[in-house]
Each structure stands twice: as structure tokens, then as C-alpha cells.
Amino acid sequence: MELFLQFGHGMMEHCYNLIQDWGSGTVILSPRDLKPEQLQTFANKINNLGGSILLDSQFYLPYGDHEKLQSHTYWPKTYTSVDFWSGSGLKELLTKVLILNRQLKCINFILPGLYAETIDDDWLIRQSDVVKTAQELEHNPLELIATVALSADATRNVDQIHELLENAKGWSVSGIYLICEHPKSQYLVDDPLWLANVLDLIAGFRLSGKKVIVGYCSHQMLIAGCASANAIASGTFLNVRSFTPVKFQAPLPGDIKQKSIWYYCPQALSEFTLPYLDLAHRQGVLSDMKSSEIISGKYANILFGSVLPNSTGFGEREAFRHYLQSLRSQTLVSRQNSFNDSITLHENLLNSAEQLLQKLSEAGINTRERGFEKAINANRGALKFLENTYSSILKRYWNKI
């Protein structure tokens, strides 16, 4: 499984740096965060660095009023559902987005897709209409990837998930760009049913012959490797590690949050603020929180010297690059050579993370809201669901999907 970079605010230099270091990599562009003229300049540089480009047109809420999204030429000047879907609106949108994909040298064509509050007949018909209309476009050298963007309630509804998987068998696309809103706006999800249904979708799409890119992910979705996902996408701030539909509408005045610097500890699947690293230094357990340079690279080495971490100058830039470098290393090994080996790897990771978090807790090292303690059992439950539901068929087809 690969890690794609989910572009968001302030990510240009991070993408340049990481793609250059890695020698490859894919960035999913965000028109919400890039002006029209910036899209081309940024894509050119990523391509020149040896990276690849995908474009998420972010047509989730066509009635939305986000100024930057509306500044792109493909966005309809007016949108009424009847005229758009029964007239020429859909074809015009797809034609313009295809032209932009070709200009940016995208490797695949991610089709626009509406955000589904509920997976019902109307939404499924529109999904099929998008695919059919895209197939009819002329001069399209790119493979089609259907966007499936679901609300938290839709993702939790087992009947709707099964209906989606059954209908998607008829979509003539090579892949799915899967985006699932987190329940209760949680960063780390503690709902085992939600997680199980996400794995159900991934496995179902993969077994139907489609590749799967899971968008807007945190490290919690490393378990997607057990369902044979092809890639997960993540970024810097939390709004590119979880899908929040409201961010595609005009921002509210004064909607600014105070930032903290977070250190990601891969072996604990958790993030810690620098004051708690200082306490770990004082308590003699800081070395337990250091990951190997093979996993995390050089970005956080400065934290583990003889001085207090909070006085080292470790800042937001280093924290973000450390997170994405660590996550990439974990992602690359998350899908093993067999289904059983993949499950075992993730179970062992959960067990070792739990043990380390307990040790740190006893030393007073608190993870605050980004600790994985609350998510461990949810991930375990989702993995058991995957084993009980898909074990035999995934074992049989593991090397073919």
C-alpha cells in the first residue's frame, strides 16, 4: 500500500521536500487550497521532481459557496439539480475537468462525485450518470476513478454499504476514490462499526477488480492494508487527515484555532505535545518514544538529545514532515505478502502500542486528544470483522488483487 499526499493549506514546500527525498510519490491536488494559476505551477514542479499528480475536483457540495472553489473555470456558474443532471451541465463539467487533468498531466481521472448524506437511489443514479458520461468523452487517455464520498451515517449503515457495493459492480471504472466522513467529527474514530464498514467497502471494491485510494486519512487507516487498499492519502493539518464537508463551504468569520506542535510516535500510534516530551525526558522514558531513522528519517532526531525537547527548536515544519515520513514507512509495509501476515502485523502493532502507552501513562505522559488508547479496541474489532467476513476469499485472491 502507498501513501499519497492529500494536499491542503500550506503544503507546497512539504510536498516538494518529501517528493524530492522519496524520489517518487503522488499528490492529490486540492482546488480549495490552490488558485487556478497555482495548480499548473505546482503540478509542473511535482512532475519535474519525479512525482505524480491526481486532481480532486471537490465537487462534493455543488451548492457550496467556497470562494476559491468557485474561482476555478470548471465550477458551474449556477447550479440547479434539474438543469445540471438532465441538461448539458454534467457533460460540460466533466469536459472541463478532463481538460484540466490533461494540462496537469494527471496519472488518472478522478471523477467528480457528490457527497452522500444517504446512499439512496437518487445518489446511485447520479453516480452512474457521471461514469457513463465520462466514458463518452472524447480524447480521454486516462483511466477513470469514481469518487465515493459518504457521510458518517451512511458509512455506518450496513444495508446502504451493501447496496453501494452491489451497484458499483456495474461502474466501468478502474478505481474508487473513497472518502468517509468521521463520526462525531472525531480525529481518531472509536466506532468499530464505522471502521468495519470502511474495510468492508475497501475489500468489496478490490474483489470486484477496482483499485482503491482512501482519501483524508490518519495513521488509524493503516489497517486499510489488511483489506488490500492500494493507497491511503494524508497530509499536515487535521482537515486533510479526516473528511469534513463543511470545509468546502465558505469559512466562518473568526474560525481560527490555536496550533500546537505534535510529535508522532509511530510505535505508539499516538501524538504528543512537546511539554509531555519534556516530562518524558525528566522521567527517563523519552528514548522509548524515539522511532528508528529507517521509519521516521531525520526530522525528529533533534528531540532525543541531552536537552529538553521543548527547547530544541523543533517546530511545525519538522513535525509535519516527520509525521508524513513515518506514515509513509508504515504504509509501505501495511499490506504484507499474505492476508494472514497483514492481520498479524497490525494486531502486533496494536498490542505493542497499547503496552507502550500504558508505560508512558504510568510515567504521567499524557497523549491528550491524539492518543490511540480510545481507538485500539475499535481497530481490533474492525480487523476481527474483516477476518470473519473476508478471510477465505482474501486469502484466495490476495496475490491477484
Side-chain angles (χ1 to χ4, degrees):
M1 189 168 75
E2 296 181 68
L3 176 70
F4 290 176
L5 295 175
Q6 189 93 52
F7 191 88
H9 174 72
M11 280 188 63
M12 274 191 184
E13 291 301 323
H14 296 302
C15 291
Y16 295 152
N17 178 277
L18 293 169
I19 295 296
Q20 188 167 30
D21 275 1
W22 300 342
S24 63
T26 299
V27 182
I28 303 178
L29 299 185
S30 167
R32 174 193 177 274
D33 301 289
L34 289 165
K35 297 176 182 178
E37 62 272 17
Q38 291 177 310
L39 280 175
Q40 190 67 63
T41 302
F42 179 76
N44 289 344
K45 187 159 185 179
I46 292 297
N47 283 317
N48 290 337
L49 288 171
S52 300
I53 291 293
L54 288 169
L55 174 69
D56 176 1
S57 59
Q58 298 174 331
F59 196 64
Y60 309 117
L61 304 172
Y63 290 108
D65 55 354
H66 196 285
E67 184 177 355
K68 196 170 287 186
L69 278 176
Q70 292 179 334
S71 73
H72 293 273
T73 55
Y74 66 81
W75 200 271
K77 289 184 170 53
T78 59
Y79 176 87
T80 58
S81 59
V82 175
D83 291 340
F84 183 86
W85 294 97
S86 61
S88 61
L90 176 58
K91 185 175 181 180
E92 290 175 3
L93 171 69
L94 290 173
T95 300
K96 291 178 180 178
V97 176
L98 173 58
I99 291 171
L100 183 55
N101 270 262
R102 285 160 44 192
Q103 291 172 344
L104 300 173
K105 298 182 180 179
C106 294
I107 54 174
N108 297 124
F109 182 11
I110 297 180
L111 301 176
L114 299 181
Y115 168 70
E117 286 279 5
T118 303
I119 301 170
D120 56 18
D121 289 342
D122 287 342
W123 183 82
L124 290 167
I125 289 169
R126 288 177 176 176
Q127 288 287 108
S128 296
D129 286 345
V130 171
V131 173
K132 291 175 184 176
T133 305
Q135 288 177 308
E136 296 168 358
L137 295 177
E138 297 179 354
H139 312 298
N140 176 27
L142 302 173
E143 292 184 354
L144 304 180
I145 298 179
T147 295
V148 174
L150 307 178
S151 71
D153 288 341
T155 306
R156 292 193 81 258
N157 191 302
V158 176
D159 292 337
Q160 291 180 32
I161 294 301
H162 290 167
E163 186 173 8
L164 168 57
L165 287 172
E166 188 61 33
N167 274 266
K169 292 176 182 177
W171 300 349
S172 295
V173 296
S174 65
I176 302 292
Y177 178 44
L178 178 62
I179 300 166
C180 299
E181 179 187 20
H182 288 196
K184 302 176 184 176
S185 299
Q186 292 179 324
Y187 172 45
L188 299 174
V189 177
D190 60 8
D191 183 342
L193 179 61
W194 184 91
L195 283 165
N197 285 354
V198 173
L199 295 185
D200 195 358
L201 285 168
I202 297 169
F205 288 137
R206 292 293 287 130
L207 290 166
S208 69
K210 297 173 175 64
K211 63 184 177 183
V212 177
I213 302 164
V214 189
Y216 296 91
C217 292
S218 73
H219 48 282
Q220 184 171 18
M221 288 313 300
L222 286 167
I223 59 172
C226 293
S228 197
N230 299 85
I232 60 173
S234 188
T236 52
F237 293 107
L238 297 195
N239 65 7
V240 284
R241 300 184 196 175
S242 63
F243 179 69
T244 309
V246 71
K247 76 173 239 179
F248 300 101
Q249 297 175 334
L252 297 173
D255 188 18
I256 300 173
K257 296 181 179 179
Q258 187 174 357
K259 300 176 184 177
S260 297
I261 305 300
W262 294 87
Y263 164 74
Y264 175 54
C265 178
Q267 62 270 36
L269 294 171
S270 299
E271 296 166 80
F272 300 82
T273 57
L274 297 186
Y276 279 102
L277 293 188
D278 286 351
L279 181 59
H281 182 283
R282 182 70 177 84
Q283 291 281 64
V285 294
L286 183 61
S287 61
D288 292 319
M289 303 172 73
K290 182 179 181 180
S291 59
S292 73
E293 196 161 321
I294 295 175
I295 294 176
S296 301
K298 59 185 181 294
Y299 298 109
N301 285 348
I302 194 173
L303 293 172
F304 299 94
S306 58
V307 300
L308 290 175
N310 212 10
S311 63
T312 60
F314 181 82
E316 185 178 84
R317 181 186 65 179
E318 292 79 17
F320 285 151
R321 293 180 186 177
H322 167 78
Y323 178 83
L324 292 169
Q325 173 61 50
S326 301
L327 183 58
R328 179 175 185 261
S329 298
Q330 291 179 295
T331 302
L332 290 173
V333 299
S334 63
R335 185 192 187 279
Q336 294 283 293
N337 291 329
S338 71
F339 174 72
N340 282 346
D341 286 348
S342 300
I343 291 289
T344 299
L345 180 144
H346 287 273
E347 288 179 338
N348 289 342
L349 178 58
L350 293 174
N351 291 339
S352 60
E354 187 173 47
Q355 292 168 9
L356 177 55
L357 288 169
Q358 178 61 36
K359 179 179 180 180
L360 295 174
S361 176
E362 291 171 357
I365 314 306
N366 191 302
T367 57
R368 291 173 53 185
E369 67 268 23
R370 298 200 193 182
F372 211 74
E373 297 94 335
K374 64 182 180 182
I376 285 177
N377 285 333
N379 275 45
R380 283 185 177 131
L383 289 175
K384 286 299 180 185
F385 161 82
L386 190 67
E387 281 190 282
N388 293 339
T389 307
Y390 282 101
S391 178
S392 59
I393 192 168
L394 282 176
K395 287 178 184 178
R396 189 181 319 145
Y397 291 103
W398 193 254
N399 294 323
K400 297 179 182 179
I401 58 174

